Amino acid sequence: MTSPGSETKTLLLGIPSVDEILKGPDGRQWLARFQRKIVVSAVRDVVAERRSALLAGEAADLTREGLSADILRRISALTSFSLRPLINATGIVIHTNLGRAPLSDKILDNVLEVSRGYSNLEYDTASGKRGQRHTHTRSLLRDITGAEDALIVNNNAAAVFLCLYSLARGREVIVSRSELVEIGGSFRVPDVMAASGAVLREVGTTNKTHLRDYENAINEQTGLILKVHQSNYRIRGFTKSIEIEDLAALGGRHSIPVMFDLGSGCLVDLRPYGIHEEPAVPDIVRTGADIITFSGDKLLGGPQGGIILGRKQHVETIRKNPLARAVRIDKMAIAAFEATLMEYRDAENAKKEIPVLAMLLQDRKEIEARAKKMAASLRKKIRGEDIRVIGDSSKAGGGSLPEIEFPTHAVAIRPSAVSVNELEQRLRQGLPPVIARIREDALLLDARTVRDHEIREIVAAVFSALSTS
Ligand SMILES: *Cc1c(COP(=O)(O)O)cnc(C)c1O
């Protein structure tokens, strides 16, 4: 290594020390606003960068303005959150990668209210004794679904695991081959089964399973009959599967509990909207299934959670299992669930107040009006680009209603100066990120999942994405 020449040495002396910067006017301001450790680390980094640049014979901006701007940029990077909001213009309502169900202000207000201070999470104010966190949502769930008993755990994967572990560990669980599904991530029915200590007993074939297949598999080792909602796929053609009613009756005859992992679990009847694939949870409860599990943040539109409904005797066993503690939900989720479930006291109210339901069931005219408003604002700000409103279809997402195309309206942009992929990437990497989809040679901004107040941000984002070339 050669030592720096005298010219570089002089330049190096021009870099202020960390201490000098911290004691200067900018440094004092930053220290008043941010944590000391963060400011010091940002200043150190920038000073070190300047030194290495000079030593490498590169030019380095040593002005106060230049240094301060870089240090402030570093502080912002260190203080900005990793998890942050973005705009979902994909039209996919229950987007697993984008946080699944958005919550209403009313629901969030309850979370804030309960979490800011102390609460009666596990305290019975009437008796002054210890209470149970499950009591806050239990009677609401019973009222809404008609189930005898209810329990909410951390997510549906945990619910399925806990039920299998509590009710069928070391015993056989009968499942149809057509229902050994993978949900995404790493949730695969056979793997969850193995982890729970239950022994998988597959019956039937990929396309057909008969009631006699279940019946023939029953023996003294049988602990549970399990039905799994196929969620994200369908088998078509020459098929047969057994309805939950028939399984419940079969289980009843043999005194074997029957469990249904519903996956999404919708609390309202969607049939008036032409959706027959997702029976409402109260109807499933009425079939006599002993245990029903589903997610809190799919079609229900609440926070993350796994809801377990069922006969008192089974839910009690599950609740008392030591592992129930390991997958219990926290007070913020309970507060969000209670407020969410409260909206379901009246199904018509839920369709308006639960964002997931409101977005899925919103009137096509409403979506079209929003798309037109978005297109008009975009055209006003951005001249000479091909921006138009088109009809298209969007998906429910979250493994729910995979075959249903919801008619929608989107703004289609065919950029003149950049590729559509480039535009998609710039929007995705902006602040806030705007997530769009591409169809053929156009970028689509689906108005179904865009809120009115987001239109301004979208316009600014598209403008800036098209201005930088
Ligand atoms: C989504 C889903 C799960 C997992 O639920 P999470 O709440 O995401 O843990 C389990 N089973 C089925 C059938 C599902 O669709």
Side-chain angles (χ1 to χ4, degrees):
M1 235 174 79
T2 51
S3 57
S6 63
E7 200 181 325
T8 310
K9 267 186 190 154
T10 322
L11 279 170
L12 282 173
L13 288 173
I15 308 178
S17 73
V18 171
D19 211 43
E20 273 164 2
I21 296 177
L22 291 174
K23 286 191 173 131
D26 293 338
R28 287 204 306 271
Q29 247 186 45
W30 299 325
L31 285 170
R33 279 176 61 199
F34 305 103
Q35 295 172 35
R36 182 174 180 86
K37 215 166 173 170
I38 289 174
V39 177
V40 172
S41 146
V43 173
R44 271 206 190 116
D45 285 355
V46 172
V47 167
E49 242 174 48
R50 294 293 200 269
R51 280 188 69 87
S52 349
L54 289 178
L55 288 171
E58 292 160 14
D61 180 355
L62 297 184
T63 62
R64 181 186 148 197
E65 291 74 22
L67 281 165
S68 287
D70 277 359
I71 293 166
L72 197 56
R73 218 168 291 137
R74 183 80 38 135
I75 292 174
S76 318
L78 290 169
T79 51
S80 68
F81 290 112
S82 162
L83 175 63
R84 52 190 181 203
L86 55 70
I87 294 175
N88 175 10
T90 65
I92 299 170
V93 176
I94 311 166
H95 200 307
T96 297
N97 302 142
L98 305 185
R100 283 203 187 154
L103 302 177
S104 70
D105 287 348
K106 207 161 138 197
I107 292 166
L108 290 170
D109 282 348
N110 194 44
V111 176
L112 209 61
E113 187 86 355
V114 165
S115 314
R116 188 174 269 138
Y118 300 98
S119 64
N120 64 339
L121 179 64
E122 290 185 350
Y123 186 70
D124 179 1
T125 48
S127 65
K129 296 210 170 85
R130 186 192 173 126
Q132 279 202 339
R133 63 180 62 213
H134 306 300
T135 53
H136 305 293
T137 48
R138 190 177 179 185
S139 50
L140 263 171
L141 277 169
R142 283 165 53 183
D143 287 351
I144 295 163
T145 66
E148 274 180 28
D149 203 351
L151 172 68
I152 309 183
V153 296
N154 199 29
N155 52 43
N156 189 34
V160 172
F161 175 82
L162 184 64
C163 292
L164 292 172
Y165 182 79
S166 318
L167 303 176
R169 186 166 17 113
R171 314 198 62 188
E172 288 183 5
V173 175
I174 306 176
V175 192
S176 161
R177 283 209 164 83
S178 66
E179 294 172 1
L180 295 174
V181 298
E182 173 175 318
I183 305 303
S186 53
F187 185 90
R188 293 175 139 194
V189 172
D191 296 348
V192 175
M193 188 86 72
S196 76
V199 181
L200 173 62
R201 181 73 195 261
E202 298 172 44
V203 295
T205 59
T206 305
N207 58 327
K208 282 202 171 196
T209 304
H210 303 272
L211 193 62
R212 62 169 187 273
D213 293 326
Y214 287 95
E215 191 144 29
N216 291 341
I218 293 176
N219 61 50
E220 60 286 358
Q221 286 306 308
T222 309
L224 198 72
I225 296 172
L226 174 66
K227 185 172 176 63
V228 182
H229 193 296
Q230 288 172 337
S231 288
N232 47 13
Y233 83 110
R234 291 287 177 272
I235 297 179
R236 288 162 168 283
F238 187 61
T239 64
K240 177 159 181 71
S241 63
I242 301 301
E243 298 295 331
I244 187 68
E245 289 84 341
D246 301 324
L247 285 183
L250 177 70
R253 287 200 294 280
H254 294 269
S255 301
I256 294 167
V258 174
M259 170 171 156
F260 193 178
D261 173 18
L262 259 184
S264 209
C266 187
L267 292 181
V268 299
D269 188 358
L270 296 177
R271 282 173 301 185
Y273 303 89
I275 301 168
H276 297 266
E277 288 75 357
E278 197 65 52
V281 171
D283 291 333
I284 305 280
V285 170
R286 240 174 271 127
T287 64
D290 299 280
I291 294 288
I292 297 163
T293 66
F294 53 95
S295 289
D297 52 355
K298 289 186 183 169
L299 278 173
L300 190 139
Q304 181 188 303
I307 295 171
I308 301 171
L309 302 177
R311 296 205 193 282
K312 202 170 170 57
Q313 146 209 9
H314 299 310
V315 177
E316 199 61 36
T317 306
I318 295 164
R319 192 184 285 121
K320 286 195 177 129
N321 190 290
L323 269 191
R325 162 75 187 239
V327 293
R328 72 180 186 181
I329 53 169
D330 76 314
K331 61 186 175 191
M332 289 195 264
I334 293 174
F337 266 117
E338 197 179 3
T340 302
L341 293 169
M342 205 72 96
E343 303 286 14
Y344 278 99
R345 279 260 168 81
D346 174 351
E348 291 314 307
N349 174 71
K351 289 175 199 167
K352 289 200 287 281
E353 299 295 334
I354 301 292
V356 161
L357 291 182
M359 280 187 213
L360 274 180
L361 304 177
Q362 71 192 297
D363 194 73
R364 226 188 131 160
K365 289 247 155 27
E366 227 179 281
I367 305 176
E368 184 176 17
R370 195 176 310 115
K372 282 184 169 161
K373 195 170 140 190
M374 188 155 45
S377 312
L378 281 163
R379 279 192 220 105
K380 209 169 130 195
K381 176 105 179 166
I382 304 159
R383 308 257 165 207
E385 293 282 352
D386 183 354
I387 298 169
R388 58 182 93 174
V389 173
I390 61 157
D392 201 42
S393 65
S394 28
K395 292 274 192 189
S400 322
L401 311 170
E403 287 196 307
I404 301 197
E405 303 279 342
F406 292 85
T408 194
H409 281 90
V411 175
I413 305 175
R414 287 184 180 77
S416 56
V418 294
S419 72
V420 68
N421 288 309
E422 177 68 26
L423 177 59
E424 185 275 337
Q425 183 190 332
R426 286 180 187 179
L427 287 174
R428 168 161 47 82
Q429 294 173 351
L431 232 175
V434 175
I435 314 299
R437 64 193 149 90
I438 293 175
R439 205 188 69 183
E440 287 149 27
D441 55 346
L443 178 110
L444 300 194
L445 299 162
D446 193 321
R448 176 182 298 278
T449 47
V450 168
R451 283 51 150 21
D452 287 322
H453 68 264
E454 291 170 337
I455 292 179
R456 265 187 46 204
E457 285 176 293
I458 291 177
V459 172
V462 174
F463 177 75
S464 121
L466 290 176
S467 317
T468 41
S469 46

